[in-house]
Amino acid sequence: GQALIQFAYLLGFIQQQITGCKVLLVDSKNNAVGFYKKFSFQTLNMFQDNKQYVPLFKPIITMSQDKDQIGNLLDFCKEFNLEYEKSFLERLI
């Protein structure tokens, strides 16, 4: 689960550079909310219209906000042999 969240965040960061993506959004089952909150997801109360799912979001950093995070994303790419994503990030820094 943690690797999937990191991968989704990586793809979201890349999309931010291309299209302006700002957040990751999930509809979590009630019993999984704690898992997402460990990864800094926040509850999105204004869209909570279904008692089975809880909408959560996580802002995606911008280039100017945190250069260390980009290094973490590069490490993730190296660990999972994500060559396209790695080369995309390397062009940014």
Side-chain angles (χ1 to χ4, degrees), residues 68-86:
D68 291 337
Q69 183 67 26
I70 296 165
N72 294 339
L73 292 174
L74 273 170
D75 291 343
F76 181 80
C77 292
K78 291 173 188 172
E79 181 179 347
F80 290 96
N81 297 316
L82 302 171
E83 290 301 320
Y84 168 78
E85 292 82 357
K86 179 178 162 264

Side-chain angles (χ1 to χ4, degrees), residues 7-18:
F7 184 63
Y9 188 86
L10 168 66
L11 295 180
F13 180 81
I14 290 171
Q15 282 303 308
Q16 179 189 76
Q17 307 311 306
I18 299 168

Side-chain angles (χ1 to χ4, degrees), residues 15-62:
Q15 282 303 308
Q16 179 189 76
Q17 307 311 306
I18 299 168
T19 63
C21 182
K22 296 288 184 188
V23 298
L24 292 182
L25 180 65
V26 297
D27 286 328
S28 171
K29 293 182 180 179
N30 287 320
N31 61 352
V33 169
F35 171 78
Y36 288 104
K37 289 199 173 196
K38 285 192 304 189
F39 297 99
S40 303
F41 278 81
Q42 302 167 36
T43 306
L44 187 60
N45 293 322
M46 63 188 296
F47 292 109
Q48 196 164 359
D49 58 358
N50 182 333
K51 301 224 185 287
Q52 289 182 304
Y53 298 99
V54 177
L56 299 159
F57 73 98
K58 178 177 180 167
I60 297 171
I61 60 146
T62 62

